[in-house]
């Protein structure tokens, strides 16, 4: 039977590569994006390689848009085997400077829309008695650091959601897989927003962190590696709860395991901004 995959945020980066990788593995893949003006590149590759891939519109922040996309897929294919919750963005700023509205907007896309997608797709997977939900978290879902505070909080929330879901959906044959990439070379950092409120209090640490992260981004892992890990996880008979992608992420998580909290904070300050 033809398996069906749904990926959010397929216009670039990890979502783009994952959509192509799933289609290359034979999944009929719905590569979804909020702005169909960005569909040309992925469509061209799919046509050239004769891949089972279709682009449809899906803005994860918009309930009607999610509803329509899922309805279209069920009308056309009657099933969803894999859901990759990938769409997301980030914002620079400290907890004091990111307004409540900015925090809410960050959580709307990075957290609530993942809940929205799962609430629409889990009933379908439960009826099938099978399915995989892949949530793209981040190393920032395991390790806090300054000046991306709303983003980090949203990814920590994804970790809690995913861990709980594993217990809730596991008995229905649905696997929930958390993907934790380190710094990946995509449009992510160029697309990052900045908190509207800026002040001198946090100027120094903000500059240090942004330049540290941007330097790491230059040497970031290619998004194809994230796609490969997702494919590998889906091929496991029993996927693990978590997959880490990138040497940087593996190194930070290993250090976190080996050190006390205070030792780790001191280590991270040095790594991030040489303090
Ligand atoms: N790059 C990294 O270092 C890194 C590391 C760890 C985790 N991640 C996570 O990986 C995921 C993908 O990021 P990326 O690195 O591939 O960055 P990216 O190239 O900027 O891709 C982000 C994707 O999300 C889409 N998106 C944003 N808001 C959306 C909405 N409301 N509805 C539908 N799509 C929306 C974007 O669409 P538009 O083109 O329309 O903006 C784009 O397709 C994110 O969840 C991010 O947090 C990234």
């Amino acid at each position: 039977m033809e398996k069906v995959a749904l990926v959010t945020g397929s216009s670039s980066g990890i979502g783009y590569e994952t959509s192509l990788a799933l289609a290359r593995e034979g999944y009929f893949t719905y590569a979804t994006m909020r702005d169909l003006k960005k569909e040309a590149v992925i469509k061209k590759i799919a046509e050239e390689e004769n891949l089972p891939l279709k682009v449809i519109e899906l803005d994860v922040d918009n309930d009607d848009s999610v509803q329509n996309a899922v309805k279209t897929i069920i009308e056309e294919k009657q099933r969803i085997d894999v859901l990759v919750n990938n769409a997301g963005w980030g914002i620079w700023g400290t907890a004091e400077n990111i307004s409540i509205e900015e925090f809410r907007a960050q959580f709307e896309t990075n957290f609530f829309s993942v809940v929205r997608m799962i609430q629409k797709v889990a009933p379908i997977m439960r009826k099938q008695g099978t399915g995989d939900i892949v949530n793209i978290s981040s190393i920032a879902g395991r390790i806090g650091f300054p000046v991306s505070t709303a983003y980090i909080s949203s990814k920590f929330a994804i970790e809690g959601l995913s861990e709980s879901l594993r217990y809730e959906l596991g008995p229905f044959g649905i696997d929930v897989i958390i993907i934790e990439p380190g710094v990946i070379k995509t449009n992510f950092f160029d697309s990052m927003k900045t908190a509207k409120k800026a002040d001198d209090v946090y100027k120094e640490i903000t500059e240090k962190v942004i330049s540290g992260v941007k330097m790491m981004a230059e040497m970031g892992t290619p998004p194809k590696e994230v796609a490969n890990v997702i494919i590998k996880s889906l091929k496991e008979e029993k996927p693990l709860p978590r997959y880490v992608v990138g040497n940087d992420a593996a190194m930070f998580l290993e250090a976190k395991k080996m050190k006390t909290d205070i030792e780790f904070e001191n280590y991270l300050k040095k790594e991030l901004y040489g303090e």
Side-chain angles (χ1 to χ4, degrees), residues 10-11 19 28-44 46 52-58 72 76:
S10 303
S11 67
S19 297
F28 190 96
T29 302
Y30 286 89
T32 73
M33 54 189 76
R34 60 178 163 179
D35 180 2
L36 289 180
K37 287 200 278 305
K38 297 185 179 175
E39 71 181 356
V41 182
I42 198 165
K43 270 179 98 171
K44 185 164 176 277
L53 183 147
K54 184 170 176 181
V55 176
I56 62 171
E57 190 176 334
L58 197 168
T72 300
E76 291 180 1

Side-chain angles (χ1 to χ4, degrees), residues 98-156:
I98 301 170
S99 67
I100 291 288
E101 288 69 32
E102 288 167 329
F103 255 98
R104 284 211 174 102
Q106 177 72 107
F107 268 72
E108 185 58 44
T109 308
N110 290 13
F111 178 72
F112 288 112
S113 51
V114 175
V115 178
R116 181 177 289 123
M117 291 302 304
I118 288 167
Q119 288 184 345
K120 296 278 191 300
V121 172
I124 296 163
M125 291 181 167
R126 265 195 301 105
K127 268 192 216 133
Q128 293 166 184
T130 171
D132 289 279
I133 296 176
V134 180
N135 290 337
I136 309 297
S137 175
S138 169
I139 180 74
R142 299 282 296 286
I143 291 171
F145 51 90
V147 192
S148 311
T149 312
Y151 177 75
I152 289 164
S153 305
S154 71
K155 292 296 187 184
F156 266 68

